[in-house]
Amino acid sequence: MEISILDYGVGNLNSIKNSLKHLNIKNRFINTKKQIKNSHSIILPGVGTFYHAMKNIKEKDLYDSLITHIKIKKKPVLGICLGMQLLFSESNEVTHQNGLNILKGKIKKINFVKKKNIHDLNVGWQKIQLKKKNILFNQIPNNENFYFLHSYAAYDLNKKNIIATYKENNRQIITAINKDNTFGVQFHPEKSGKYGLKILENFCKI
């Protein structure tokens, strides 16, 4: 099976491609409606802002094809970092912007109790807590470390769709989600060592 990596102008594409190559998983970049239509599994990467990511998706005329792939055909999709956030209803990053609305919930700035750095980002390794069994985390132990780079996170999500969280000053930050054929991780599996690679491998088996 070939895994499609959506190139919509915002994303860390090559590191994902190299990780899949390391796993001997055939993959390709896609950026057209026809390619989305002909894909089985899609990885939705993302580095940047929610507003500009959705703007690119709409300007490249990919929005309706993505909705068809996920909601109607119910084919697998994995959102990574910003890619996961795009799966939600809306965000207030930069300005208000509607998302793909696959999951009900909002993307909001994390209210850090202690300033992380000059940009108030959560950068680095975080130990995550698994909330339930899920195919995405098959053969991955609880409380393992994964690499994060974000300052916004998902809120107001139905608890049944939450796979994992991490703690930020005793608050639970949503880390991984699943609804039917839709999966998302706030961390970067392509930068998270062997268990990050295992996340990608598990998704590619769906």
Side-chain angles (χ1 to χ4, degrees):
M1 182 191 304
E2 186 174 52
I3 302 299
S4 296
I5 304 168
L6 186 65
D7 179 5
Y8 57 102
V10 182
N12 190 16
L13 303 179
N14 286 322
S15 59
I16 296 173
K17 183 175 184 65
N18 290 336
S19 294
L20 293 174
K21 182 179 178 181
H22 178 79
L23 293 166
N24 293 316
I25 295 171
K26 189 177 180 182
N27 63 89
R28 62 170 181 160
F29 295 143
I30 62 170
N31 58 14
T32 68
K33 294 188 293 183
K34 183 177 180 179
Q35 288 173 323
I36 292 175
K37 180 179 179 181
N38 293 331
S39 295
H40 173 72
S41 298
I42 293 177
I43 292 178
L44 186 63
V47 176
T49 67
F50 191 104
Y51 173 81
H52 288 105
M54 286 304 304
K55 184 172 180 285
N56 284 1
I57 286 172
K58 290 177 179 178
E59 287 182 349
K60 293 177 183 293
D61 198 20
L62 303 177
Y63 182 91
D64 289 341
S65 297
L66 273 176
I67 297 301
T68 298
H69 175 95
I70 301 169
K71 276 192 169 183
I72 298 176
K73 293 187 176 180
K74 296 191 179 299
K75 293 182 179 180
V77 63
L78 171 65
I80 293 176
C81 195
L82 175 61
M84 175 185 122
Q85 296 179 4
L86 298 178
L87 298 170
F88 286 85
S89 305
E90 59 186 286
S91 172
N92 62 3
E93 186 179 7
V94 181
T95 185
H96 179 267
Q97 174 68 56
N98 292 328
L100 295 173
N101 199 32
I102 305 302
L103 295 102
K104 301 297 181 184
K106 298 178 181 180
I107 304 301
K108 303 177 185 178
K109 177 81 171 176
I110 300 173
N111 183 21
F112 294 105
V113 175
K114 296 180 180 179
K115 196 169 182 65
K116 292 282 184 178
N117 50 48
I118 191 170
H119 298 296
D120 229 6
L121 291 168
N122 174 35
V123 182
W125 296 84
Q126 290 282 357
K127 189 174 291 186
I128 72 169
Q129 292 78 49
L130 299 178
K131 299 301 180 182
K132 60 178 67 176
K133 289 184 178 180
N134 187 274
I135 188 171
L136 200 63
F137 285 83
N138 188 32
Q139 297 182 15
I140 296 176
N142 194 17
N143 295 314
E144 286 297 335
N145 285 298
F146 292 86
Y147 184 81
F148 288 80
L149 175 60
H150 70 124
S151 57
Y152 283 74
Y155 292 87
D156 306 327
L157 174 64
N158 191 320
K159 289 183 179 180
K160 71 179 182 179
N161 298 133
I162 300 173
I163 305 173
T165 62
Y166 76 81
K167 284 187 178 181
E168 164 61 36
N169 290 298
N170 294 318
R171 294 171 301 168
Q172 300 291 321
I173 302 297
I174 295 172
T175 297
I177 56 94
N178 172 221
K179 180 183 178 183
D180 302 322
N181 52 302
T182 301
F183 298 83
V185 292
Q186 183 60 69
F187 54 84
H188 287 273
E190 75 279 11
K191 296 181 179 180
S192 296
K194 68 175 183 179
Y195 288 122
L197 291 176
K198 188 61 179 174
I199 292 280
L200 294 175
E201 183 181 28
N202 287 341
F203 173 72
C204 292
K205 293 178 179 178
I206 297 170

